[in-house]
């Protein structure tokens, strides 16, 4: 199914009809990070299944609702749960919510995710500010911007030199230093999943310059940049990716959720600071 401008506009209008104010900031919560939404004040909650054309999360660890309210007195729209390409959705469906946010007038999109650490200096539980991404999925023929381009949404050949807003990155780094929140920085590599990687793949991705791997975020960032939003990305390193068959450890979705949950207070502190300064 190909969505048109009118589909995005209709859903934006549906959401607007539930609100008394206009959110400026969008936040997408990744695996295990849903509890962050409990920090939103005066929330209006809209289940995804009530929203026209909105894709439904099928993965456990992702609830499916929009929580719209204030955080640090700033109006925010929080997606508690996202959908992934591996669930069988098209790239247009995966990124549908971002287009709707664009038409709602959201200016800054904060993307969070769970990721596997590739950089050997990372530990499970670390937070990583995304400095740039490798959208492998996109460049293998699954780019969210493929298909007819509607100039009202963005240009045909958008520039991606500064996908993750440099000023906002500087702001996040300064804030983390000021508040003593340990923060790694690195390159996020987006794969389709749902299979975890082989050790040979992990070694190759490391050689490419990736610091973390995951199954989301890059498609959403791609559409957000195309749509003129400023993007911030933060990964929770929920596990260290296995780079050799002799490593006697296994990664699991349970572990991803458990370590993700542990990082919630630190990530919340960081997000509060970021939102306060926007
Ligand atoms: N690989 C891919 N995606 C992930 C991982 C991983 O190791 N951990 C959390 N999301």
């Amino acid at each position: 199914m190909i969505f048109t401008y009118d589909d995005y506009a209709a859903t934006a209008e549906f959401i607007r009809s539930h609100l008394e104010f206009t959110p400026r900031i969008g936040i997408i919560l990744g695996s295990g990070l849903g509890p962050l939404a409990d920090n939103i004040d005066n929330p209006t909650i809209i289940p995804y299944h009530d929203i026209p054309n909105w894709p439904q999360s099928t993965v456990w660890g992702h609830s499916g609702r929009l929580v719209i309210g204030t955080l640090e007195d700033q109006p925010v729209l929080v997606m508690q749960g996202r959908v992934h390409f591996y669930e069988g959705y098209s790239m247009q469906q995966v990124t549908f919510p971002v287009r709707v946010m664009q038409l709602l007038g959201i200016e800054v999109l904060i993307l969070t995710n769970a990721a596997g650490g590739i950089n050997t200096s990372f530990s499970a539980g670390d937070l990583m500010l995304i400095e740039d991404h490798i959208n492998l999925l996109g460049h293998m023929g699954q780019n969210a911007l493929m298909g007819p381009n509607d100039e009202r949404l963005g240009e045909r050949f958008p520039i991606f030199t500064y996908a993750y807003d440099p000023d906002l990155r500087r702001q996040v780094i300064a804030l983390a230093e000021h508040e003593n929140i340990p923060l790694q920085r690195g390159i996020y590599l987006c794969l389709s999943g749902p299979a975890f990687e082989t050790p040979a793949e992990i070694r190759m991705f490391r050689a490419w310059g990736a610091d973390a791997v995951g199954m989301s975020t890059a498609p959403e960032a791609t559409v957000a940049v195309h749509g003129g939003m400023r993007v911030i990305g933060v990964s929770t390193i929920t596990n260290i990716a296995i780079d050799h068959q002799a490593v006697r450890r296994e990664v699991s979705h349970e572990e991803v959720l458990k370590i993700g949950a542990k990082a919630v207070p630190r990530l919340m502190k960081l997000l509060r600071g970021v939102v306060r300064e926007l």
Side-chain angles (χ1 to χ4, degrees), residues 114-116 196-197 213-215 238-239 241 251 256:
F196 284 111
E197 306 72 34
V213 273
M215 307 172 190
T238 53
N239 57 286
V251 53
V256 166

Side-chain angles (χ1 to χ4, degrees), residues 18-251:
H18 286 72
L19 304 179
E20 280 148 28
F21 61 88
T22 311
R24 284 183 54 220
I25 303 165
I27 304 177
I28 301 184
L29 298 177
S31 299
L33 306 175
L36 286 166
D38 300 338
N39 292 271
I40 303 306
D41 299 318
N42 304 313
T44 297
I45 293 172
I46 313 177
Y48 291 168
H49 57 74
D50 288 350
I51 310 175
N53 285 324
W54 202 273
Q56 311 293 312
S57 336
T58 65
V59 193
W60 122 82
H62 282 264
S63 40
R65 45 190 218 158
L66 274 187
V67 181
I68 306 153
T70 55
L71 183 65
E72 299 288 315
D73 293 328
Q74 294 263 33
V76 296
L77 177 149
V78 179
M79 275 177 64
Q80 198 175 24
R82 62 147 65 83
V83 303
H84 307 79
F85 187 64
Y86 63 74
E87 291 173 74
Y89 290 110
S90 68
M91 272 301 168
Q92 259 210 329
Q93 287 175 301
V94 168
T95 57
F96 180 86
V98 178
R99 280 295 180 216
V100 172
M101 287 190 210
Q102 178 186 351
L103 294 194
L104 278 171
I106 298 251
E107 295 158 20
V108 175
L109 178 61
I110 304 176
L111 294 165
T112 69
N113 62 45
I118 297 190
N119 185 314
T120 52
S121 69
F122 288 2
S123 307
D126 283 355
L127 298 179
M128 182 191 90
L129 178 68
I130 302 178
E131 297 197 290
D132 204 351
H133 72 210
I134 299 173
N135 186 3
L136 188 58
L137 190 47
H139 290 291
M140 296 295 277
Q142 291 293 349
N143 195 292
L145 303 180
M146 286 170 69
N149 188 64
D150 189 323
E151 293 285 329
R152 288 171 292 180
L153 295 171
E155 55 188 315
R156 176 75 286 186
F157 299 107
I159 306 292
F160 273 80
T161 312
Y162 304 106
Y164 297 82
D165 189 271
D167 289 334
L168 293 177
R169 272 190 275 141
R170 271 190 287 277
Q171 227 169 293
V172 176
I173 291 163
L175 175 93
E177 274 168 15
H178 184 252
E179 305 226 352
N180 269 324
I181 305 168
L183 185 65
Q184 306 278 15
R185 300 180 216 169
I187 310 297
Y188 175 87
L189 183 137
C190 171
L191 300 165
S192 70
F196 284 111
E197 306 72 34
T198 66
E201 287 163 348
I202 292 300
R203 293 194 301 271
M204 179 180 78
F205 298 147
R206 184 182 289 142
W208 284 0
D211 297 292
V213 273
M215 307 172 190
S216 67
T217 302
E220 294 146 335
T222 298
V223 166
V225 169
H226 180 251
M229 289 184 230
R230 300 167 76 199
V231 178
I232 299 175
V234 183
S235 294
T236 302
I237 305 299
T238 53
N239 57 286
I240 296 302
I242 293 165
D243 63 359
H244 205 281
Q245 289 185 345
V247 175
R248 298 238 165 271
R249 228 179 330 108
E250 277 307 338
V251 53

